[in-house]
Amino acid sequence: MNVASTDWNAWVPIALALPLVSFVVSFWMGPRYGWLVPLMATALLLAGWVCTTVILVDHSAGTSHFAVPWFSLGTDVIPIGWWLSPRSVTMLWVVYTISLLVHVYSIGYMAGEGGIARYFAWLGFFTFAMGGLVVSSNLLVTFCCWELVGLSSYRLIGHWHQQPAAGAAATKAFLVNRLGDIGLLVALMLLWSRAGTLDMPALTAMALSEETKTAVGLCVLLALAGKSAQFPLLHWLPDAMAGPTPVSALIHAATMVAAGVYLFVQLHFLFSADALAVAAVVGLLTLFVGGWGALTQFDVKKILAYSTISQLGLMVAGVALASPEAGFAHLFTHAFFKAGLFLGAGALIHAVSRHGHAPQQDIRHMGGLWQSHRLVLVCFAVCAASLAGMPLTSGFLSKEGLLLHVRHHSFYFGVMATASFVTTLYSARMVFYLLSPTPQAAATHPVPAIMQLPLFVLSVGSLFIGLSASPLSIQSWWPVFDAIESAPWVMVVSLAVLVVGVGVAWRLYRHRPTATLHARWVPQTWLDAAQKHIAVTPALQASRLTHHADRRWLDGVLHAASYGYVTCSFVIGWVDRVLIDGWVTTVTHAAKGGGKLFRSLVNGKIQSYLAWGMLALLSFMVWMLYQLAHR
Amino acid sequence: MIATHHIFILSALLLSVGVFMLLTKRNAILILMGLELILNAANLNLIAFNQRYADALAGEAMAVFVIVLAVCEAAVGVAIILQAYRHYATAVPDQISELKDPA
Amino acid sequence: MGLLLLVVPVRFQSVFRMAALVVGVAQLILFALLLASFDASQPWHGLEQAAWFSIDLGTWGKLQASYLVAVDGLSVGLVGLSVLVLLLAVVSSWHVQENIKGYWSLLLILNGSIIGSFCALDLLLFYVFFEFMLIPMYFLIGIWGGPRREYASIKFFLYTLAGSIFILMGIILVYLSYQDPTQPAVAHTFNILHITNPLQLLIDSPLYTADATLGSYRGWTFLLFFLGFAIKLPAVPLHTWLPDAHVEAPTAISVILAALLLKIGGYGLLRFVYPVLPDAAQHFSPWVAGVGLLSIIYGAMNALASKDLKRLVAYSSVSHMGFVLLGLASGTSEGVGGAVYQMISHGLISAMLFLLVGVLYDRTHDRQISHYSGLAERMKPFTAFVLIAFFASMGIPGFSGFIGEVMIFLGAFRAAELGIFGLWIAITATTGLLLGAAYYLWTIQRMFFGPFHSRAGEHNLVPLTTREYVMLLPLAVATILLGVFPQLLLHYINPFVQAFLVSFSSLTD
Amino acid sequence: MSAADYFFYGWCLVMVAGLWAMAVSKKLIHAALGLLSCLVALAGIYALLSAELLAVIQLMVYAGGVLVLILFGIMLTGRLSDKPMRIESRNVAVGSVIAAGLFITLIVFVGPAFLSVTSTGSPGSLRTLSLALFSEYTLAFELAGVLLLISLIAGAVIASSRQS
């Protein structure tokens, strides 16, 4: 395989290197200049963001590919390089934008916390890995970055490692992700063994058999289920909220979990119809489980986590049923409004939490902030509106795109419309609680400006501005949507769903019911139970069994064999001593006895002479008489 | 009449016991006694078979001579034993080791 | 060539550890010189030959063995690994108190025999070095080991001895089947260069048969070799000596055992078993792959259940060496290259893991995982090293372990595609990665996360000393370096793999 | 069975008892008495076999002469050693095997030859025997007398000779 190297674009390596530099430098200077790390990391990220913006402007159309050999396997070469397309460039820009905003936000949010250097280092590393994942031209490199984002996610979820819950959540997140990674690995290996290459440009040009595509597609689906929290591997995401809130915004809402969807979009051509159908089912299931989960929670971060799951399900279903572009568009808008929601939630949590206590995240106790934190709440509400798909927001547009694509399939259309109803319901529920005028028991903290700024930017980004010329039409957004003819009834349906959703929410949640659902109604509970019963307990039992086997059976056989051997050697030793030596001693004794006997012939004792004589006589007599008798 | 073969068995028994004593006893006098027994066994046979050929009388005559010999032997034997006993201060033939090679 | 010095370390009578250190550093320098003059396109480098002994056996011809050493792309990496690890072992056992003279002498003997067996090109010489490793190892475990050291050392010794008997039988069969073309007077040869050349196969010798299945001479020879090296590797179910030996051995010895001695199994298979018996290897490859798979899963499962940190690491070695077998069984350039890569990478990583366990054990004399919690809070650099080592061992990209495992999987899937063994083997093997992540992450969670607690008290947990940095840093750097720039090593491995596969395919076709 | 038979078996019993005493007794005197009973029993059997002269000679020479001689020997040696006269046996096993072998050999191989032998029953009288001794066996008789004399003298000489 020859390595194509066409377009060298200096901005790409620079953009990727800057967060990596941030990672290294943060660790390097962490111990001594801890205060400098947030500023330095943010500055580096800003520079990186500038690079990605330049790339975005450069590559608004067309693709470019660059690769150098990474390592060689016999005659095959694994290249490392980038493959820029409008989609990947956009995604790269989104990653860097959100990351930059989260960096800025974190300066305020993490102030005074321990381990800041570590925190910013891993944020930088995550940005690097995510950027690499987005632009990489070789799937093996993509896989590396895919694992590395999981690693940084692990480190960041477990940032407050003194809390046992954080450690457990991190482990769980990593292991569930790892299960998905194995799916991706198997997919790559299948591609390697059947297509002979892992280069994306080469793969796009290749015609693979349907069977291969199904197998590869299902494996990739497993991968994206792990990474993007699809059913049934979604239960790690609510737990991952144990990490710092900005991390949840960046990794577990906007970018990393979207990486699965992004990969799905990128590798859409590798999916057969069957695999797509499975993906659609998985996506729709996730959509409902997530939506239901969001309705059952009172922890604001968990609501958002389930909402993310639900939206990711929508994206997967959209990619599978509608078009990759429609799914990607939703990914794009979701990144902004969900990051905005998380950052807003973080700001509110910051406002109501008291120092030295566990952070207050329960929406039932977070009301009454309208007077003191108006901007934060407005930004939060705008993002929530975008999530619910209100007109004039980006969310409305991307949802519109999805609905337009499936409008001919009444079943799928109905399902999606129902799902958007659920989305509206939980968004409205959350907002109602937070906007309620219940007074706060204790004094609230002001939210620093450095945290409000990114929030504001994101809420602006959640509006239609900048995406589309028309607030109500998707067609004017991206050229790819031009081909879709508009259908006004779709918009009508979507608006109707919205109105009904808000209405129902108003009816249900106006009085802020505080009753919690029984735990068994929370998806987390039974997914955890399923994980425990299907995977963890059997694995632990099996491992105990193998350990037992190792210690008892294998070693037991060995010990039995050695005891047997020793016993045998004892037996052989006895045989040797008694039987074989016995022969020898018998012979010697006989010889000795014989010698003694014959010595008694000449021992000078008359009686023995006599005895011999008698014996001889006797023998002679017997012999003679015998002869006589038988003559 | 007494069955000849019963007499024969008796004489065989005498002989055997005589030989046994000859071989096993550690006292010279008892060995002498054993010898007497052997001679008597022979005598018994002589006399018994003389019955078979009674007119020849060779058996009985022979028995007379045997008895004479036995007396001679007993007299000389006891004398030798006494002398040896004096010499070696023992009547146990094992300890009379003149015949034995110096070990 | 300096190889002569490499293989014959002098037994110094005074200042033992300085002597050992000097030998180690000298070896490192010599290795650097060797590397500088190494030309990957040449098959053999630094070939050195001297007649060793020759016995006239009358009509049987002459039994001749020679001192023949050289390095190629396979052994250069392993020799480099050995030099590094042995030097670090010297550093790590700096504070050994008991019977200093014996310890360092044995360590030097071990040093010589390990490097010797990686360089030997004469089967008999290899075997002698191979056996020679056993004795110092036995004493090092048996004298300087833990509480159950006698049991462990005897188990180790018997297992390995049993393995070497199988190998010896194999060697004799191979010896009887090959001739030396340069010495027609000498009927048979031990020279690996000749025995790997099918043209030198003697007609009507035991191995002169087209039948490589079970029951034929070729099959038997392969099985004998495989059995012997599988004990060394170790492959399940012949592995039970390993956890015991590791748990009882002193740190430096565990390091050498895991990083180097296990590699000799793989090395032997690669160096002559596969080239000599490619047809048998191919015939048995589903079984070899199955054993590899079993080792991967079984080792990982056992590691998951281990309560002792060192035992966990030991079982993880079993699991990782299973990958080597899987790669070998694939018989593809990716798989074989991956097996070599994995051996070297595992050498670095396992050395690091055992050193880290030793660091903790030196402080607290306690290796029970459940006796610790929240260590991340108190021992930050140590935790950082542990995380590096664990992630490297888990096969996270950016560390050498990933490259090795990915190459092996590439090879395994391609082999499955070629029909060499079932696809299910390759797919099931990937779950080894999940299990590996499971036991390491669980350990991290239990030992390093959460509130701080240590049964041994915290006053013992002094920060890492300079000496410990000196031994951990090179390994961490090497692991990352080989993970990011695999070509550094593949540059040497690839020509070997090419040559290997050429000889492999020439007989099979 | 005639009265002679009863006598015969009675003497046999006496003899066996005497033999037993000789073979196993621990005391020399008992052995001597056992020998006495044997000799007397033999004399009885001789008488039953109508060899009256021999029976008398047996009694006189053996029971009287030889036995007295032996008793003297016993007493003399006992006096010298100052130890109780205990009989010690050695190689009892070998001795009994040989003796038993001899006995069985005689009974099994030789005995059957006499089954058919029956006594003619003609009693040899004292007179005929005396005639035979003094006519047919005169020379032998004289020589026996000389031998007897020589042995008696020799016995006396040996017993009385002093050590130099």
Side-chain angles (χ1 to χ4, degrees):
Chain A
M1 187 203 308
N2 55 341
V3 176
S5 71
T6 49
D7 286 335
W8 166 253
N9 186 334
W11 295 109
V12 178
I14 294 173
L16 288 178
L18 283 168
L20 195 60
V21 169
S22 158
F23 168 70
V24 174
V25 173
S26 298
F27 264 130
W28 198 262
M29 52 199 264
R32 205 165 299 169
Y33 305 104
W35 58 273
L36 199 57
V37 167
L39 301 177
M40 190 271 320
T42 311
L44 284 171
L45 233 277
L46 181 64
W49 179 78
V50 170
C51 295
T52 57
T53 314
V54 172
I55 298 167
L56 180 69
V57 173
D58 274 3
H59 272 273
S60 54
T63 60
S64 74
H65 175 216
F66 173 82
V68 289
W70 182 25
F71 62 90
S72 51
L73 298 164
T75 52
D76 301 321
V77 174
I78 300 284
I80 186 167
W82 57 77
W83 189 48
L84 299 182
S85 64
R87 192 191 294 147
S88 63
V89 167
T90 312
M91 186 70 193
L92 185 67
W93 184 79
V94 169
V95 168
Y96 272 70
T97 308
I98 308 282
S99 178
L100 176 64
L101 294 172
V102 165
H103 269 78
V104 172
Y105 184 88
S106 298
I107 296 175
Y109 190 83
M110 296 299 284
E113 292 280 350
I116 293 186
R118 184 156 49 88
Y119 174 81
F120 277 96
W122 283 106
L123 271 189
F125 188 77
F126 170 77
T127 313
F128 156 74
M130 191 68 205
L133 191 159
V134 170
V135 298
S136 164
S137 69
N138 188 286
L139 280 178
L140 193 63
V141 181
T142 309
F143 178 75
C144 292
C145 295
W146 178 269
E147 291 246 300
L148 290 179
V149 293
L151 174 65
S152 35
S153 152
Y154 168 77
R155 294 298 291 135
L156 285 168
I157 295 171
H159 180 70
W160 287 311
H161 53 69
Q162 296 88 344
Q163 299 172 1
T171 307
K172 187 175 180 183
F174 197 95
L175 283 181
V176 175
N177 267 301
R178 188 82 175 178
L179 181 60
D181 295 352
I182 283 172
L184 186 55
L185 186 70
V186 172
L188 295 199
M189 298 302 142
L190 287 173
L191 278 177
W192 175 262
S193 59
R194 302 203 173 158
T197 179
L198 291 175
D199 227 15
M200 291 264 275
L203 280 174
T204 49
M206 208 169 275
L208 292 163
S209 71
E210 272 304 293
E211 185 246 334
T212 308
K213 280 170 114 178
T214 306
V216 170
L218 289 177
C219 289
V220 174
L221 183 64
L222 178 62
L224 83 96
K227 195 63 89 188
S228 292
Q230 297 298 296
F231 186 84
L233 302 180
L234 55 83
H235 56 297
W236 65 272
L237 191 57
D239 278 3
M241 296 301 128
T245 308
V247 168
S248 309
L250 175 62
I251 298 180
H252 306 118
T255 55
M256 186 191 87
V257 289
V261 179
Y262 176 75
L263 194 77
F264 190 17
V265 173
Q266 288 282 75
L267 298 182
H268 186 265
F269 64 92
L270 285 176
F271 280 69
S272 66
D274 294 343
L276 283 179
V278 176
V281 170
V282 168
L284 291 175
L285 258 175
T286 313
L287 182 54
F288 279 102
V289 172
W292 171 249
L295 283 175
T296 60
Q297 298 291 320
F298 281 105
D299 183 320
V300 65
K301 287 186 74 178
K302 294 230 165 136
I303 296 174
L304 292 175
Y306 275 114
S307 144
T308 307
I309 292 167
S310 170
Q311 294 298 306
L312 290 166
L314 181 65
M315 290 176 216
V316 169
V319 175
L321 293 172
S323 78
E325 292 305 330
F328 184 68
H330 194 64
L331 193 165
F332 181 87
T333 58
H334 175 260
F336 282 88
F337 63 70
K338 191 49 68 62
L341 282 171
F342 265 109
L343 293 190
L348 294 176
I349 292 165
H350 179 86
V352 297
S353 294
R354 277 175 299 164
H355 193 70
H357 287 73
Q360 177 60 269
Q361 301 185 353
D362 193 324
I363 51 172
R364 287 167 296 185
H365 302 113
M366 290 175 78
L369 292 170
W370 178 248
Q371 299 299 323
S372 49
H373 297 83
R374 199 164 294 169
L375 178 66
V376 174
L377 280 173
V378 166
C379 292
F380 189 86
V382 167
C383 294
S386 189
L387 170 64
M390 294 274 216
L392 303 181
T393 60
S394 58
F396 175 79
L397 293 177
S398 54
K399 197 174 280 179
E400 192 70 9
L402 289 169
L403 288 174
L404 273 175
H405 272 94
V406 295
R407 66 182 189 279
H408 298 305
H409 305 275
S410 53
F411 172 71
Y412 291 137
F413 185 83
V415 170
M416 277 205 185
T418 318
S420 62
F421 164 74
V422 175
T423 310
T424 313
L425 198 62
Y426 67 71
S427 309
R429 169 180 180 257
M430 183 169 62
V431 172
F432 289 161
Y433 273 95
L434 290 177
L435 287 179
S436 72
T438 325
Q440 272 288 317
T444 57
H445 299 282
V447 175
I450 202 154
M451 284 165 70
Q452 292 189 2
L453 175 70
L455 190 55
F456 180 72
V457 172
L458 285 169
S459 64
V460 171
S462 307
L463 295 173
F464 73 96
I465 311 158
L467 297 179
S468 172
S470 150
L472 294 178
S473 164
I474 185 87
Q475 277 91 343
S476 54
W477 183 16
W478 263 337
V480 285
F481 293 119
D482 287 346
I484 307 165
E485 51 180 302
S486 63
W489 66 269
V490 171
M491 199 194 300
V492 170
V493 169
S494 123
L495 284 173
V497 162
L498 187 71
V499 169
V500 172
V502 174
V504 171
W506 177 252
R507 176 138 183 76
L508 285 177
Y509 300 116
R510 187 180 35 170
H511 301 299
R512 303 164 36 80
T514 53
T516 47
L517 278 171
H518 193 278
R520 96 170 84 107
W521 296 106
V522 182
Q524 178 86 24
T525 313
W526 45 268
L527 280 171
D528 274 349
Q531 171 191 290
K532 189 178 162 214
H533 289 123
I534 295 171
V536 175
T537 312
L540 285 179
Q541 273 170 352
S543 75
R544 270 195 289 275
L545 186 72
T546 54
H547 204 63
H548 188 78
D550 211 51
R551 308 285 294 176
R552 290 288 150 80
W553 301 342
L554 276 184
D555 264 12
V557 167
L558 194 71
H559 289 168
S562 41
Y563 279 126
Y565 177 71
V566 171
T567 314
C568 276
S569 57
F570 270 120
V571 168
I572 288 169
W574 183 83
V575 166
D576 200 51
R577 219 173 39 250
V578 175
L579 294 189
I580 299 184
D581 254 19
W583 273 111
V584 178
T585 45
T586 308
V587 168
T588 54
H589 281 170
K592 221 160 137 189
K596 232 167 155 183
L597 204 65
F598 289 111
R599 207 177 62 178
S600 69
L601 276 173
V602 289
N603 66 354
K605 285 179 187 163
I606 305 158
Q607 279 171 317
S608 51
Y609 292 159
L610 211 63
W612 281 110
M614 287 307 302
L615 206 61
L617 181 71
L618 199 59
S619 337
F620 175 72
M621 225 164 81
V622 168
W623 178 77
M624 200 190 68
L625 290 171
Y626 183 82
Q627 291 291 315
L628 280 173
H630 287 271
R631 203 164 42 204
Chain B
M1 272 319 291
I2 297 160
T4 315
H5 68 274
H6 285 184
I7 297 173
F8 175 75
I9 290 170
L10 194 65
S11 82
L13 189 67
L14 271 174
L15 174 71
S16 299
V17 174
V19 167
F20 174 77
M21 288 179 73
L22 208 59
L23 294 180
T24 61
K25 298 300 172 188
R26 299 190 72 192
N27 192 303
I29 293 171
L30 276 165
I31 292 171
L32 209 58
M33 289 185 191
L35 269 175
E36 297 299 337
L37 282 183
I38 292 169
L39 290 174
N40 274 305
N43 262 2
L44 186 57
N45 272 358
L46 284 173
I47 290 165
F49 290 115
N50 189 54
Q51 293 272 306
R52 177 72 176 80
Y53 313 99
D55 44 342
L57 279 180
E60 288 193 16
M62 200 66 187
V64 171
F65 294 132
V66 168
I67 287 172
V68 172
L69 267 174
V71 170
C72 295
E73 170 253 304
V76 177
V78 169
I80 291 173
I81 287 167
L82 275 176
Q83 197 59 24
Y85 192 83
R86 277 200 201 115
H87 188 72
Y88 297 105
T90 180
V92 180
D94 282 2
Q95 290 166 17
I96 303 169
S97 52
E98 292 289 289
L99 281 169
K100 199 171 165 182
D101 291 334
Chain C
M1 267 343 287
L3 281 169
L4 207 66
L5 195 80
L6 287 182
V7 297
V8 191
V10 190
R11 291 181 61 174
F12 292 83
Q13 290 302 304
S14 60
V15 210
F16 299 100
R17 42 182 209 194
M18 279 316 286
L21 188 67
V22 167
V23 169
V25 171
Q27 284 177 337
L28 200 62
I29 293 167
L30 284 170
F31 180 71
L33 291 174
L34 174 76
L35 214 56
S37 64
F38 194 88
D39 180 2
S41 60
Q42 296 294 317
W44 295 102
H45 195 81
L47 199 69
E48 203 168 316
Q49 186 161 18
W52 181 17
F53 67 81
S54 163
I55 304 166
D56 208 329
L57 294 175
T59 53
W60 280 39
K62 259 182 180 172
L63 178 76
Q64 193 172 47
S66 52
Y67 176 81
L68 181 66
V69 291
V71 289
D72 70 343
L74 169 63
S75 40
V76 76
L78 289 166
V79 169
L81 176 73
S82 313
V83 168
L84 179 66
V85 167
L86 288 166
L87 183 57
L88 295 177
V90 168
V91 175
S92 84
S93 42
W94 204 244
H95 56 282
V96 166
Q97 299 291 334
E98 195 185 331
N99 196 354
I100 295 172
K101 181 175 162 185
Y103 184 85
W104 293 102
S105 307
L106 288 171
L107 205 61
L108 282 174
I109 295 174
L110 192 63
N111 181 332
S113 47
I114 288 172
I115 294 178
S117 54
F118 281 138
C119 294
L121 278 189
D122 188 277
L123 267 186
L124 202 63
L125 190 65
F126 172 83
Y127 183 75
V128 167
F129 278 128
F130 182 83
E131 286 287 279
F132 221 73
M133 263 181 282
L134 213 57
I135 297 147
M137 212 64 202
Y138 171 72
F139 286 116
L140 284 168
I141 296 172
I143 297 175
W144 287 272
R148 289 173 74 232
R149 53 180 178 252
E150 281 92 358
Y151 172 77
S153 57
I154 288 172
K155 202 170 175 184
F156 164 77
F157 192 83
L158 289 181
Y159 252 115
T160 324
L161 200 65
S164 57
I165 287 164
F166 293 128
I167 293 170
L168 186 63
M169 290 196 274
I171 285 177
I172 291 167
L173 279 168
V174 167
Y175 167 75
L176 290 176
S177 303
Y178 286 90
Q179 64 172 357
D180 186 349
T182 57
Q183 285 172 297
V186 183
H188 307 297
T189 183
F190 283 118
N191 189 327
I192 292 179
L193 298 181
H194 298 316
I195 62 169
T196 51
N197 183 354
L199 295 175
Q200 309 302 340
L201 184 61
L202 283 167
I203 292 167
D204 293 337
S205 61
L207 296 188
Y208 188 80
T209 163
D211 181 15
T213 52
L214 188 69
S216 73
Y217 263 113
R218 291 186 80 85
W220 273 116
T221 312
F222 180 80
L223 283 183
L224 284 172
F225 273 127
F226 182 74
L227 209 56
F229 286 121
I231 288 176
K232 198 79 192 171
L233 203 58
V236 174
L238 303 170
H239 67 286
T240 57
W241 62 271
L242 182 100
D244 286 309
H246 270 316
V247 168
E248 300 308 326
T251 302
I253 305 311
S254 296
V255 167
I256 294 175
L257 193 61
L260 305 179
L261 259 66
L262 305 190
K263 307 301 169 291
I264 298 200
Y267 174 80
L269 290 174
L270 275 165
R271 169 56 76 226
F272 52 85
V273 180
Y274 271 61
V276 170
L277 303 156
D279 44 353
Q282 199 150 47
H283 179 255
F284 287 108
S285 68
W287 297 101
V288 175
V291 170
L293 175 67
L294 186 63
S295 302
I296 292 171
I297 304 294
Y298 189 87
M301 290 296 233
N302 267 310
L304 194 60
S306 294
K307 296 185 176 69
D308 182 319
L309 188 59
K310 208 169 183 181
R311 188 170 276 275
L312 182 141
V313 173
Y315 276 119
S316 83
S317 285
V318 175
S319 183
H320 286 116
M321 294 313 282
F323 282 110
V324 174
L325 273 185
L326 186 65
L328 263 177
S330 78
T332 57
S333 63
E334 301 96 324
V336 175
V340 180
Y341 205 97
Q342 170 80 354
M343 291 207 298
I344 292 168
S345 139
H346 177 254
L348 295 170
I349 295 166
S350 64
M352 196 168 165
L353 286 168
F354 278 112
L355 284 175
L356 286 164
V357 175
V359 164
L360 189 62
Y361 187 72
D362 283 347
R363 280 164 177 65
T364 59
H365 296 279
D366 186 0
R367 285 188 308 242
Q368 289 296 308
I369 294 171
S370 56
H371 292 177
Y372 296 97
S373 164
L375 284 177
E377 211 174 325
R378 299 301 158 100
M379 302 181 74
K380 279 184 180 145
F382 175 71
T383 308
F385 277 116
V386 169
L387 288 182
I388 290 175
F390 277 13
F391 284 132
S393 190
M394 240 187 261
I396 295 285
F399 298 105
S400 56
F402 170 75
I403 304 290
E405 283 170 13
V406 152
M407 282 170 72
I408 286 166
F409 282 131
L410 289 172
F413 275 82
R414 181 165 277 186
E417 190 66 25
L418 295 172
I420 293 174
F421 49 74
L423 187 61
W424 66 271
I425 289 182
I427 290 178
T428 316
T430 56
T431 57
L433 293 180
L434 181 65
L435 288 169
Y439 60 75
Y440 279 129
L441 291 178
W442 198 30
T443 309
I444 292 176
Q445 192 190 328
R446 285 180 292 173
M447 283 185 80
F448 294 94
F449 287 170
F452 173 75
H453 167 76
S454 163
R455 189 167 284 192
E458 60 182 290
H459 57 279
N460 290 322
L461 297 171
V462 291
L464 293 182
T465 61
T466 315
R467 180 176 65 82
E468 285 160 351
Y469 273 114
V470 163
M471 60 196 199
L472 291 172
L473 263 179
L475 289 171
V477 170
T479 313
I480 295 174
L481 205 62
L482 289 183
V484 179
F485 303 108
Q487 195 61 30
L488 288 176
L489 190 57
L490 286 170
H491 170 67
Y492 298 104
I493 296 176
N494 272 331
F496 162 74
V497 172
Q498 300 293 330
F500 179 88
L501 290 177
V502 164
S503 74
F504 199 81
S505 57
S506 64
L507 252 192
T508 342
D509 292 340
Chain D
M1 273 211 327
S2 62
D5 278 341
Y6 286 116
F7 275 105
F8 174 72
Y9 293 119
W11 285 126
C12 276
L13 278 178
V14 172
M15 193 153 72
V16 167
L19 285 174
W20 181 256
M22 288 173 80
V24 302
S25 166
K26 296 283 181 199
K27 285 183 178 169
L28 208 50
I29 293 297
H30 291 180
L33 290 174
L35 180 63
L36 177 64
S37 62
C38 275
L39 296 176
V40 171
L42 269 174
I45 289 169
Y46 292 165
L48 282 176
L49 289 171
S50 56
E52 296 86 357
L53 178 63
L54 270 166
V56 172
I57 291 175
Q58 178 83 6
L59 275 180
M60 283 173 64
V61 176
Y62 261 119
V66 174
L67 201 71
V68 168
L69 204 61
I70 284 171
L71 284 174
F72 270 117
I74 290 168
M75 282 182 279
L76 281 171
T77 53
R79 185 187 59 83
L80 277 169
S81 70
D82 284 336
K83 276 185 250 169
M85 295 304 288
R86 311 285 300 180
I87 302 168
E88 289 173 40
S89 301
R90 61 193 299 274
N91 295 333
V92 179
V94 176
S96 29
V97 165
I98 291 175
L102 193 64
F103 183 70
I104 290 166
T105 312
L106 288 174
I107 300 300
V108 172
F109 288 94
V110 185
F114 302 117
L115 274 175
S116 56
V117 175
T118 45
S119 177
T120 52
S122 61
S125 63
L126 184 63
R127 182 186 162 79
T128 44
L129 180 60
S130 306
L131 281 173
L133 277 177
F134 289 101
S135 57
E136 202 171 342
Y137 304 110
T138 311
L139 183 61
F141 194 74
E142 293 300 330
L143 280 175
V146 173
L147 178 68
L148 193 60
L149 185 66
I150 290 171
S151 68
L152 283 175
I153 294 167
V157 170
I158 291 169
S160 66
S161 68
R162 301 215 157 261
Q163 279 187 285
S164 58

